[in-house]
Amino acid sequence: MPNRIIKESIRTSDSINDLTWFEEVLFYRLIVSCDDYGRFDGRIAIIKGTCFPLKDMRNSEIEKALHRLSALGMVTLYEVDRKPFLQLTAWERHQQIRAHKSKYPKPDDGHPISSDINCSQAQADVPVIQSESKSESESESYSEDARLNAVFQDYIRHRKKLKRPMTDKAVELALKKLERLAPGDTDRQIRIIEQSIESGWSGLFPLSEERQSKRENGAFYDDMKEWVDGHDDTGVCNDSGGH
């Protein structure tokens, strides 16, 4: 699930201004809980556990606020096979949908659930939802391990900030370099990437404690060769050298 940000136009949104504080909070928490199509499980217990995992909220409070959002046209409530779901309206106009398939059925697959307040009100186009922009390459999967995949995507963004963006070939070679540095060890591979990000390096190198161990064992020159190789043959630093 991508990170999401809130547009500054929220401050002058009439739809948002019509909400109570709790209704507004629920709306924001639904934004970061929905799938890439703006849909989510409509069961109150699931909403409570996902949106308010650390707060002692009453189901009735959440249900009332949810129907208020529906009445204002900010959320569509519907049932499919007798199971409730919800859809944040105007989602596609403010989101970059990257997933190939939604986790939940679409509203057209079922029938709407009427709001107790005003089920005939038009849908609100609330311009506050936006995915944090990422390039196509950053949304790709690089590993079957979700943790490693997420950290590697962080590394790609880190390289962009250093003004050293990675080509497809550089990505391929960097993944091979990770496997050489820590064969089959996902935890170490993650730590190697995090080390480069934290240190502001563009390359990928052995963990600092492993380099220190080599020095203590008289393998300093092997360590230096590994460092140079990190710049020369991985593509991780492109072709300009340096960190």
Side-chain angles (χ1 to χ4, degrees):
M1 180 186 299
N3 292 326
R4 298 185 175 116
I5 59 178
I6 303 296
K7 293 181 179 179
E8 64 180 9
S9 52
I10 179 181
R11 295 174 299 183
T12 56
S13 169
D14 291 332
S15 297
I16 292 295
N17 189 57
D18 287 338
L19 301 176
T20 66
W21 284 107
F22 178 67
E23 291 164 355
E24 187 173 344
V25 168
L26 175 60
F27 181 63
Y28 297 150
R29 295 197 179 200
L30 285 174
I31 289 174
V32 297
S33 300
C34 287
D35 72 357
D36 204 28
Y37 285 73
R39 299 170 192 155
F40 192 59
D41 194 308
R43 290 174 291 179
I44 300 301
I46 299 298
I47 296 174
K48 174 183 177 181
T50 304
C51 295
F52 302 99
L54 301 179
K55 290 188 176 295
D56 185 17
M57 307 297 304
R58 293 195 299 271
N59 286 358
S60 58
E61 292 178 295
I62 297 174
E63 184 173 16
K64 180 180 179 181
L66 187 63
H67 279 279
R68 170 68 173 169
L69 294 176
S70 174
L72 292 174
M74 301 170 70
V75 173
T76 296
L77 304 178
Y78 59 101
E79 284 186 351
V80 177
D81 295 331
R82 297 185 179 181
K83 294 181 180 179
F85 298 94
L86 64 86
Q87 165 89 56
L88 295 187
T89 60
W91 185 266
E92 294 184 358
R93 290 194 287 274
H94 304 292
Q95 288 287 351
Q96 295 180 1
I97 297 178
R98 288 178 288 268
H100 296 295
K101 185 179 180 181
S102 176
K103 297 179 181 179
Y104 308 99
K106 58 182 180 292
D108 292 343
D109 292 337
H111 61 273
I113 300 176
S114 298
S115 167
D116 293 334
I117 304 174
N118 184 2
C119 61
S120 62
Q121 184 162 341
Q123 293 185 348
D125 185 3
V126 184
V128 299
I129 318 166
Q130 180 179 340
S131 290
E132 191 172 9
S133 59
K134 298 181 182 179
S135 69
E136 182 178 349
S137 64
E138 286 176 298
S139 65
E140 293 179 358
S141 178
Y142 302 100
S143 170
E144 295 181 357
D145 186 283
R147 296 176 304 139
L148 178 57
N149 189 62
V151 172
F152 194 83
Q153 290 176 349
D154 288 340
Y155 176 59
I156 291 176
R157 290 191 288 274
H158 165 70
R159 285 291 302 270
K160 281 190 173 183
K161 291 180 180 178
L162 295 179
K163 300 188 184 301
R164 306 292 294 279
M166 299 180 73
T167 63
D168 291 341
K169 185 63 175 179
V171 168
E172 176 185 347
L173 293 173
L175 291 171
K176 290 181 179 179
K177 178 69 178 294
L178 278 176
E179 186 59 29
R180 290 204 306 272
L181 292 175
D185 192 333
T186 299
D187 289 337
R188 280 176 62 207
Q189 291 177 7
I190 290 174
R191 289 168 57 202
I192 287 170
I193 296 173
E194 291 176 338
Q195 173 183 255
S196 290
I197 294 175
E198 292 171 359
S199 301
W201 300 337
S202 61
L204 298 172
F205 308 102
L207 293 170
S208 57
E209 59 264 31
E210 294 174 355
R211 296 199 301 272
Q212 180 63 32
S213 176
K214 285 184 179 180
R215 293 190 183 96
E216 292 173 355
N217 291 324
F220 175 76
Y221 289 104
D222 289 340
D223 180 56
M224 289 300 297
K225 182 179 184 300
E226 179 66 37
W227 187 277
V228 173
D229 287 344
H231 294 76
D232 291 342
D233 68 355
T234 65
V236 172
C237 292
N238 291 336
D239 47 37
S240 59
H243 292 168

